[in-house]
Amino acid sequence: MTATAALEVEGLSKSFGDVAAVDDVHLRIDGSEFLGLVGPSGCGKTTTLRMLAGLERPDTGVVRIGGKPATDLPPRSRDTNIVFQDLVLFPHMSVAENVGYGLARQGIDGDRRRRRVEEALELVSLPSYGDRDPAALSGGQKQRVALARALVNDPTVLLLDEPLSSLDRALREEMQSELKRIQRESGTAFLYVTHDQESAMSMSDRIGVMREGRIVDIGTPEELYGRPKTQFVADFLGGATTLRGDVTAVDGDRAAVETALGGFEAAASRSDPSVGETVTVVIRPESVSVGEGPFSGTVRRLAYKGFYRQVTVETGDGGTLAARTAVDSRTTPDRPAGGGGMATGDRIRFAIDRAVIVDDEDE
């Protein structure tokens, strides 16, 4: 027997004038799943979230929350809560009063409300902060209070709209770990909307990638990064070199591909290429080994990234390929530290360790 989904969406669409903001979105989130929804600005992810929260009415489609119809319900009647990018903590209330505000509106008072507020603050690691003034809190602490307030009602789904985007990098990374811990301990389904691929990859059980109002791919972070469906997904989740080539042989889920660069093997991803077919191949920078190999090129750019150096190589076919090398302590005036002994203009050899055939964009 299939378990009831925390959230189901079928054929959700929304237009503003002649612009289709959301176009036939289908989505399912299981009971305790953390699902990230990512995409470039204007792709429709926030409009989707607002329709799920009841803040926008869809033109077409069905929304079910905990197996129950919710398409026509107002926000207050849906078993969801939402955490926005811009936190709204009531300045005239203490932390505990902020967290318990929704319970008070439901008529839950006295010891029952106090216990639930204490449990929510314990969940977000702020057990002794109930009497504090929100103005005295740090940015990360305010985020935790907002989460406690959203979770205190025990919603079936918690909707999060870019809640970490205003934090600095160090605090954002800390809160990513905390968000995942809180989600696991609460057992609540999270739908996390963001344009930050890195945060979605680090927290999500699955990720949906949106483009022009549609979800164009969905899967685990490992699936989407290692076997992206299209070039757009590959580029959006980390960047990749793209080549066109002809399939010369197929063996199970592997194919030999002849490109302008040369021939090499590629994983067939989720498509089934046939011999003679022209396909698109993507190569991640970390899948290129610099130093030895059948291919050669000229170093055109070196970018130091801390624990690795990004290398842009001009290949013999006139194209470019991105690679990564480990940092190196050797340094001379024309060969900066971390360059692996390389400098711009050097001729190098390289090998392609892994490549993936992806579907053409119009498929």
Side-chain angles (χ1 to χ4, degrees):
M1 184 176 180
T2 303
T4 300
L7 175 71
E8 290 179 287
V9 176
E10 296 177 1
L12 203 65
S13 297
K14 179 70 177 180
S15 294
F16 297 98
D18 295 332
V19 178
V22 177
D23 185 11
D24 194 31
V25 163
H26 295 255
L27 191 64
R28 176 189 170 99
I29 304 177
D30 291 329
S32 58
E33 185 178 24
F34 194 126
L35 189 136
L37 191 60
V38 303
S41 297
C43 72
K45 55 188 185 295
T46 295
T47 300
T48 299
L49 192 80
R50 288 178 61 83
M51 286 191 285
L52 300 180
L55 301 174
E56 293 281 357
R57 183 173 179 82
D59 297 334
T60 62
V62 174
V63 177
R64 284 187 288 272
I65 298 170
K68 300 176 181 178
T71 312
D72 299 320
L73 293 180
R76 66 180 180 275
S77 300
R78 299 188 180 208
D79 195 9
T80 63
N81 260 333
I82 188 166
V83 179
F84 291 104
Q85 176 179 343
D86 299 320
L87 300 177
V88 184
L89 298 181
F90 301 119
H92 60 287
M93 294 183 180
S94 68
V95 166
E97 289 169 337
N98 265 278
V99 174
Y101 177 75
L103 298 176
R105 292 194 64 184
Q106 295 177 36
I108 299 173
D109 292 312
D111 288 344
R112 186 182 173 196
R113 186 171 79 198
R114 178 182 55 77
R115 284 195 304 272
R116 288 177 63 173
V117 168
E118 288 176 353
E119 290 169 356
L121 288 173
E122 182 76 33
L123 177 66
V124 299
S125 301
L126 295 176
S128 59
Y129 281 65
D131 293 332
R132 298 202 184 186
D133 184 340
L137 302 179
S138 68
Q141 290 167 343
K142 289 178 181 177
Q143 285 287 358
R144 293 169 193 250
V145 173
L147 283 168
R149 184 173 63 183
L151 288 167
V152 74
N153 292 325
D154 194 24
T156 297
V157 184
L158 183 62
L159 308 170
L160 302 107
D161 186 14
E162 300 272 14
L164 308 183
S165 61
S166 63
L167 304 180
D168 63 52
R169 183 179 181 85
L171 185 53
R172 188 165 63 247
E173 290 179 351
E174 176 187 334
M175 283 303 300
Q176 287 171 13
S177 298
E178 278 296 284
L179 262 182
K180 187 59 181 175
R181 177 192 65 78
I182 290 166
Q183 188 268 330
R184 284 177 174 163
E185 292 185 8
S186 69
T188 303
F190 278 25
L191 177 60
Y192 184 85
V193 165
T194 182
H195 67 278
D196 182 354
Q197 308 93 313
E198 183 179 325
S199 66
M201 295 276 281
S202 68
M203 292 187 291
S204 304
D205 298 315
R206 288 188 304 141
I207 298 173
V209 182
M210 287 196 75
R211 183 186 190 190
E212 297 177 353
R214 288 177 170 265
I215 295 179
V216 295
D217 204 355
I218 190 164
T220 67
E222 294 82 3
E223 287 170 343
L224 296 190
Y225 190 83
R227 301 176 76 90
K229 186 177 181 181
T230 65
Q231 179 185 340
F232 171 80
V233 175
D235 287 339
F236 192 78
L237 295 178
T241 298
T242 303
L243 298 172
R244 294 285 284 174
D246 297 325
V247 177
T248 58
V250 177
D251 183 8
D253 64 351
R254 306 288 298 176
V257 182
E258 188 67 33
T259 71
L261 176 65
F264 50 85
E265 277 198 347
S269 189
R270 284 167 272 177
S271 59
D272 297 309
S274 56
V275 174
E277 180 182 357
T278 300
V279 295
T280 299
V281 181
V282 297
I283 305 164
R284 296 289 188 192
E286 64 272 18
S287 298
V288 179
S289 297
V290 174
E292 296 180 356
F295 310 112
S296 63
T298 303
V299 176
R300 289 305 179 205
R301 190 160 67 93
L302 292 166
Y304 182 62
K305 300 292 185 177
F307 60 92
Y308 71 89
R309 184 171 285 275
Q310 187 92 353
V311 185
T312 302
V313 181
E314 184 179 281
T315 57
D317 64 336
T320 60
L321 178 138
R324 289 179 184 173
T325 63
V327 295
D328 191 297
S329 60
R330 289 174 291 174
T331 180
T332 64
D334 62 338
R335 295 175 187 273
M342 288 185 294
T344 301
D346 281 357
R347 291 287 295 176
I348 61 169
R349 301 200 69 83
F350 61 92
I352 296 173
D353 300 327
R354 175 175 168 79
V356 180
I357 298 171
V358 298
D359 292 344
D360 289 335
E361 298 294 335
D362 60 359
E363 296 179 2

